[in-house]
């Protein structure tokens, strides 16, 4: 590997020249936390044999280097972490922001604090510099600065968004340790628990996998209560959703009834998870009770919840209630899919109500927004085939 040639003042400012000499990076393309950015290194490699010419200093500088020097000049001696954070956030180029962050870290008597790390982490993530963002998280965990709650939450949010960083539980453990040992407590907040619960729920899949992660949901819910954090409706909905996906409906209903104890009110998603979970569990009667309570409050479920309830009622031969739910769904601007329509109509035929099934299909066909012509044709052909006499 070739050794990087000394950089001249013709191409880089004296501050960047000293930075490169201190870091002694053999290859500037290596993503070292304090290495100069690749773009600055590339600008210096255009002249392999630089010579110092004070008269050509201004003419030979690239726009990126001039922009960097402008920001360096704005940071007067004695600048603080807040000044650095403001400079980083004001910089539209994430690479240049990283260069400013590294340059200021090497200034005598200065040390990055939580606001500077937070600004740099947010800029790196928004600029899709994920390798640099991961390095910043590692530095925070290694004790590069005394972190605060916003910085910890930003690091947790970044780790939750990256699949290979999902298992980084040391962030949460470090927050818990600081909540009891640090001079400035950093106790996990409701935002922290919400992000962790949402990240766990994204990994729910088929029932065997869901049951594995349900233990994590239970653990987080217990720790949230034990730490004195008051949950909100969004966080409790995540817990209800986890229990409903695993068909642990007794636990889901228990959490649903606890919402009022925390000064919150259940919303359409709270009811929706309960209604859908009860239908999948086979408790259609209870599901219909929660649906009626929900509609009495003026809350409308999602299309998925509507269709789960319609299919559940149809399979239980509660067809009149299922038809009523279908028209309620249409009044709320949503239409069932082909499978839901077919379930209702076929169950009517099996119950000996073939004529009523054809009349219902005709009425739905005339209803605006209920179905398209192809769906109507498919359902009509299915009814004719189902109702034809068998030999």
């Amino acid at each position: 590997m070739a050794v990087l040639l000394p950089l001249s003042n013709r191409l880089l400012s004296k501050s960047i020249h000293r930075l490169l000499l201190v870091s002694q990076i053999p290859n500037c393309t290596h993503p070292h936390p304090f290495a100069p950015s690749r773009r600055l290194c590339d600008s210096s490699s255009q002249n392999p044999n630089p010579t110092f010419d004070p008269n050509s200093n201004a003419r030979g500088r690239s726009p990126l280097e001039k922009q960097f020097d402008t920001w360096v000049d704005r940071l007067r001696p004695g600048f603080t972490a807040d000044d650095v954070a403001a400079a980083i956030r004001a910089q539209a180029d994430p690479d240049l922001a990283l260069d400013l962050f590294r340059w200021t870290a090497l200034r005598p008597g200065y040390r990055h604090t939580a606001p500077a790390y937070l600004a740099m982490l947010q800029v790196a993530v928004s600029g899709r510099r994920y390798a640099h963002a991961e390095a910043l998280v590692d530095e925070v965990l290694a004790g590069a600065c005394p972190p605060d709650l916003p910085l910890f939450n930003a690091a947790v949010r970044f780790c939750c968004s990256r699949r290979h960083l999902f298992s980084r539980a040391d962030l949460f453990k470090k927050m818990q340790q600081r909540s009891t040992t640090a001079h400035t407590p950093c106790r996990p907040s409701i935002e922290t628990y919400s992000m962790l619960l949402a990240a766990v729920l994204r990994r729910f899949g088929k029932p065997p996998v869901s049951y594995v992660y349900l233990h994590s949901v239970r653990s987080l819910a217990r720790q949230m209560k034990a730490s004195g954090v008051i949950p909100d409706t969004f966080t409790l909905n995540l817990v209800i959703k986890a229990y409903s996906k695993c068909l642990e409906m007794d636990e889901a209903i228990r959490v649903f009834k606890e919402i009022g104890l925390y000064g919150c009110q259940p919303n359409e998603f709270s009811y929706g998870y309960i209604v859908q979970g009860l239908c999948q569990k086979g408790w259609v009667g209870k599901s219909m009770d929660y649906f009626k309570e929900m509609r009495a409050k003026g809350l409308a479920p999602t299309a998925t919840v509507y269709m789960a309830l319609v299919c559940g009622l149809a399979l239980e031969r509660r067809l009149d209630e299922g038809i009523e739910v279908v028209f309620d769904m249409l009044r709320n601007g949503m239409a069932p899919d082909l499978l839901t329509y077919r379930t209702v109509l076929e169950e009517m035929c099996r119950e000996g109500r073939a004529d009523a099934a054809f009349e219902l299909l005709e009425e739905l066909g005339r209803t605006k927004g209920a179905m398209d012509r192809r769906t109507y044709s498919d359902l009509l052909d299915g009814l004719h085939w189902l109702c034809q006499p068998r030999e």
Side-chain angles (χ1 to χ4, degrees), residues 81-97:
D82 292 334
D83 298 331
V84 175
I88 290 172
R89 293 184 190 278
Q91 182 49 249
D93 189 340
D95 292 323
L96 190 54

Side-chain angles (χ1 to χ4, degrees), residues 54-246:
N55 297 325
S56 62
N57 187 32
R59 291 177 299 173
R61 304 185 62 75
S62 67
L64 181 63
E65 294 164 352
K66 293 178 181 178
Q67 191 176 3
F68 179 85
D69 284 343
T70 301
W71 282 105
V72 168
D73 292 338
R74 293 183 185 180
L75 292 174
R76 298 299 181 184
F79 57 82
T80 63
D82 292 334
D83 298 331
V84 175
I88 290 172
R89 293 184 190 278
Q91 182 49 249
D93 189 340
D95 292 323
L96 190 54
L98 284 164
D99 288 328
L100 283 169
F101 185 79
R102 296 168 187 145
W103 179 83
T104 52
L106 296 178
R107 308 320 298 163
Y110 173 80
R111 182 185 179 189
H112 284 312
T113 59
Y117 266 96
L118 175 61
M120 190 64 256
L121 180 60
Q122 292 174 339
V123 170
V125 173
S126 62
R128 298 179 180 273
R129 304 303 191 266
Y130 300 127
H132 291 288
E134 188 174 348
L136 291 169
V137 173
D138 290 336
E139 292 176 24
V140 172
L141 290 175
C145 75
D148 57 4
L149 181 59
L151 177 57
F152 262 129
N153 281 343
V156 170
R157 185 181 298 106
F158 168 67
C159 291
C160 290
S161 66
R162 308 296 293 172
R163 191 174 184 84
H164 69 284
L165 297 177
F166 173 76
S167 59
R168 291 293 296 272
D170 43 357
L171 265 174
F172 186 66
K173 292 178 181 177
K174 194 174 183 67
M175 290 183 73
Q176 291 178 313
Q177 292 172 359
R178 285 188 60 84
S179 66
T180 57
T181 61
H183 295 291
T184 55
C186 189
R187 187 177 65 179
S189 64
I190 184 62
E191 181 184 2
T192 312
Y193 285 106
S194 298
M195 289 187 294
L196 292 172
L197 286 169
V200 173
L201 274 171
R202 283 196 294 268
R203 302 181 75 87
F204 273 46
K206 295 181 179 180
V209 177
S210 301
Y211 278 107
V212 172
Y213 288 105
L214 184 61
H215 174 73
S216 300
V217 173
R218 283 197 179 101
S219 177
L220 285 170
R222 284 196 301 266
Q223 293 179 44
M224 179 174 60
K225 293 180 180 180
S227 62
V229 176
I230 300 177
D232 55 8
T233 303
F234 175 76
T235 307
L236 293 173
N237 281 350
L238 293 174
V239 180
I240 294 172
K241 182 179 181 180
Y243 283 127
S244 298
K245 279 181 170 290
C246 296

